[in-house]
Amino acid sequence: MIVKHQILQRIDNKPIVWDAYFKSDSTKKPLVIFCHGYKGFKDWGAWDLVAEMFSEQDLFFVKFNFSHNGGTVENPIDFPDLKAFAENNYTKELNDLDDILNFILSENFPYKNIIDTKNITLVGHSRGGGISIIKASEDQRITSLITWASISDFGSRFGSNEDISAWKHHGVKYVLNGRTKQHMPHYFQFYDDYLANKDRLNIKKATENIRIPQLIIHSLEDEAVKFSEAENLHLWNPKSDLYKITNSNHVFGASHPWENVKLPKSLDLVVHKSIAFIK
């Protein structure tokens, strides 16, 4: 069963749009929650196919848009709301993940009877990997953690001191989206929020505190997030499993839009490794 573009309304917060993929029988299924990365969204590329593969293996797979990723309820694909994008920060993404998890585990969730609430895996891609690591270190409900091409720190993403000074002076900086050609804004509040929550947002410290099974998957040739970041994560938690993907890239061979009915070879391998790890 596929349930698409559902809306989690929140008081004093932007809504969260989510999908669920699962077999509609009475068997209790491990819950898998997927977190997209920077300039990402739940319907990007091959993520629908990925979700179907997880559900075929008797897993309850949920993917969602972070509330300030630039999408809207009416158009959750791409970035029609650049003001929301500019107002995003890491704390908001952690709050979003907490809210979606609380909702799924609540009495109000329509499919609560087929979820094994004692078996919850976070899967995070790229920046979503960093968010997932922080969340897994904080929340004892999470029972396993998988990251795909994850970053290993947040602070270095902001650039040099000169970059930060210029950003503060102008109040906003722009990043070109090579695919959509949009100049995507970031307000300086993003950096202020990082400084205010620097200790919480320390991925190294969070990884060292992980006490649950952790799988790190990363491409050796990743051009966006270097393989050394996966090595960092593995170093900080030696009990983690590190799986190298060769001859691939940051999105494991996928692209947007993805028209093929099959996953690219590398992403197919990523999915199979992840499912085997959960099971």
Side-chain angles (χ1 to χ4, degrees), residues 64-262:
F64 68 100
N65 279 353
F66 285 110
S67 62
H68 287 71
N69 78 322
T72 62
V73 167
E74 298 77 22
N75 183 8
I77 295 172
D78 283 339
F79 315 102
D81 190 351
L82 289 180
K83 182 175 185 295
F85 185 88
E87 293 169 345
N88 196 18
N89 57 51
Y90 300 129
T91 303
K92 284 177 179 169
E93 294 194 352
L94 283 165
N95 290 340
D96 290 346
L97 180 51
D98 189 57
D99 282 350
I100 199 81
L101 180 59
N102 290 339
F103 169 62
I104 295 168
L105 299 181
S106 74
E107 288 301 310
N108 297 325
F109 192 65
Y111 313 105
K112 64 181 185 296
N113 293 330
I114 58 170
I115 291 175
D116 179 357
T117 58
K118 305 297 183 188
N119 194 335
I120 301 173
T121 301
L122 292 185
V123 179
H125 176 253
S126 195
R127 182 162 114 183
I131 294 296
S132 299
I133 291 167
I134 303 292
K135 181 61 175 169
S137 74
E138 293 180 344
D139 195 323
Q140 294 185 342
R141 295 173 296 181
I142 311 302
T143 55
S144 68
L145 169 67
I146 301 173
T147 56
W148 300 346
S150 178
I151 62 174
S152 65
D153 80 299
F154 289 128
S156 66
R157 265 72 207 171
F158 293 113
S160 67
N161 289 336
E162 290 79 8
D163 294 333
I164 293 168
S165 294
W167 186 12
K168 184 175 184 179
H169 174 74
H170 294 290
V172 62
K173 70 174 179 180
Y174 294 88
V175 175
L176 177 66
N177 186 321
R179 182 178 60 82
T180 68
K181 306 306 178 190
Q182 290 167 292
H183 292 272
M184 306 186 73
H186 296 279
Y187 295 153
F188 192 71
Q189 61 80 28
F190 197 158
Y191 188 67
D192 282 335
D193 179 79
Y194 168 72
L195 290 182
N197 297 281
K198 198 171 181 179
D199 188 55
R200 182 190 184 195
L201 295 171
N202 186 325
I203 296 177
K204 178 178 186 288
K205 189 179 80 169
T207 306
E208 289 170 343
N209 289 333
I210 297 287
R211 297 290 180 265
I212 56 176
Q214 178 181 6
L215 173 62
I216 302 158
I217 302 181
H218 212 110
S219 170
L220 280 168
E221 298 85 9
D222 192 329
E223 73 295 343
V225 179
K226 300 301 182 189
F227 185 76
S228 58
E229 302 215 39
E231 294 177 310
N232 289 339
L233 297 175
H234 185 49
L235 177 69
W236 299 332
N237 179 12
K239 291 184 177 179
S240 64
D241 296 334
L242 173 58
Y243 188 77
K244 305 172 187 176
I245 301 286
T246 55
N247 302 313
S248 191
N249 61 9
H250 185 58
V251 287
F252 307 108
S255 58
H256 186 82
W258 186 255
E259 309 289 358
N260 203 313
V261 295
K262 289 186 176 181

